[in-house]
Amino acid sequence: MYEGVVQDLIDELGRLPGVGPKSAQRIAFHLLSSDPADITRLADVLGKVAKGVQFCETCGNVAEREQCRICRDERREVGVICVVEEPKDVLAVERTREFKGRYHVLGGALDPLSGVGPDQLRMRELLARISSDEVTEVIIATDPNTEGEATATYLVRVLRDFPGLRVTRLASGLPMGGDLEFADELTLGRALSGRRTL
């Protein structure tokens, strides 16, 4: 244990996801040996994040105004909504340059063991958007894990009551450059069931 503010810094850094005690200590001592101007710049950015960053009132993505840049973009398709768990997932889909619609960020995934149910996510907002906009398709792009699958199943059950709404799920399967022998049974099974005609 270190004294005073140094230990406080290590403790706070250690609370970040993916940063363990040793990494927190390394980052803290890196900051201590950095130029004071660099530390001031980091502190200024953290202050701006705390005060200036908000979430889009329409989709829930990170924004600097009431609406994010994607929701403000009139060239985007209003009728297609891609549902993701977190704002970082929006960036992942955007990097593909394949999707031209809008997004809806749930703010997590269903996880009853941790107390996360539909009321803790932005489900009501999604249903309101589908009811009021001319939405023709909802693409469910939740993570391919237990919580993501539970969320996708729940959404499919709720959304099937909307007449004329097409509900799709991102395909999952084998990664490029992967070997069949190293694929787990679930991934290989999904790749087989999701195969397409060439």
Side-chain angles (χ1 to χ4, degrees):
M1 298 268 297
Y2 296 93
E3 290 186 15
V5 71
V6 174
Q7 186 60 47
D8 293 343
L9 176 60
I10 293 170
D11 292 342
E12 290 304 313
L13 290 169
R15 293 176 56 191
L16 296 171
V19 178
K22 292 213 182 265
S23 295
Q25 185 176 326
R26 271 194 300 276
I27 295 168
F29 281 101
H30 171 77
L31 290 172
L32 290 172
S33 65
S34 295
D35 188 286
D38 292 340
I39 295 172
T40 303
R41 199 168 42 253
L42 176 62
D44 289 344
V45 169
L46 289 172
K48 288 176 185 174
V49 165
K51 292 176 188 166
V53 175
Q54 54 192 353
F55 294 96
C56 177
E57 63 185 21
T58 304
C59 73
N61 192 14
V62 175
E64 290 187 341
R65 302 184 207 169
E66 288 81 27
Q67 284 194 317
C68 69
R69 65 175 176 77
I70 295 172
C71 288
R72 291 192 315 264
D73 188 347
E74 294 179 5
R75 297 169 298 179
R76 304 293 293 229
E77 290 180 50
V78 180
V80 182
I81 294 178
C82 181
V83 178
V84 296
E85 292 178 20
E86 302 289 344
K88 61 185 168 67
D89 301 327
V90 171
L91 181 61
V93 176
E94 282 295 289
R95 279 196 306 254
T96 68
R97 299 176 191 244
E98 294 289 326
F99 182 66
K100 306 297 180 216
R102 307 273 173 111
Y103 292 92
H104 187 84
V105 180
L106 293 172
L110 293 176
D111 187 3
L113 296 176
S114 298
V116 180
D119 292 338
Q120 284 72 45
L121 302 177
R122 299 186 71 251
M123 297 280 189
R124 267 185 252 108
E125 292 86 347
L126 175 63
L127 299 177
R129 284 181 74 186
I130 293 169
S131 298
S132 63
D133 295 344
E134 305 93 32
V135 177
T136 56
E137 181 180 6
V138 172
I139 302 168
I140 301 172
T142 54
D143 290 341
N145 57 25
T146 306
E147 293 82 10
E149 290 299 320
T151 306
T153 302
Y154 177 83
L155 284 170
V156 168
R157 211 172 58 240
V158 170
L159 297 177
R160 69 175 159 218
D161 294 335
F162 286 86
L165 180 66
R166 181 175 179 224
V167 181
T168 58
R169 176 90 164 109
L170 285 186
S172 59
L174 300 170
M176 290 301 291
D179 292 325
L180 281 179
E181 65 179 300
F182 300 119
D184 62 274
E185 294 83 11
L186 183 60
T187 301
L188 195 51
R190 287 202 176 158
L192 281 169
S193 64
R195 67 190 183 280
R196 57 191 167 95
T197 305
L198 299 176

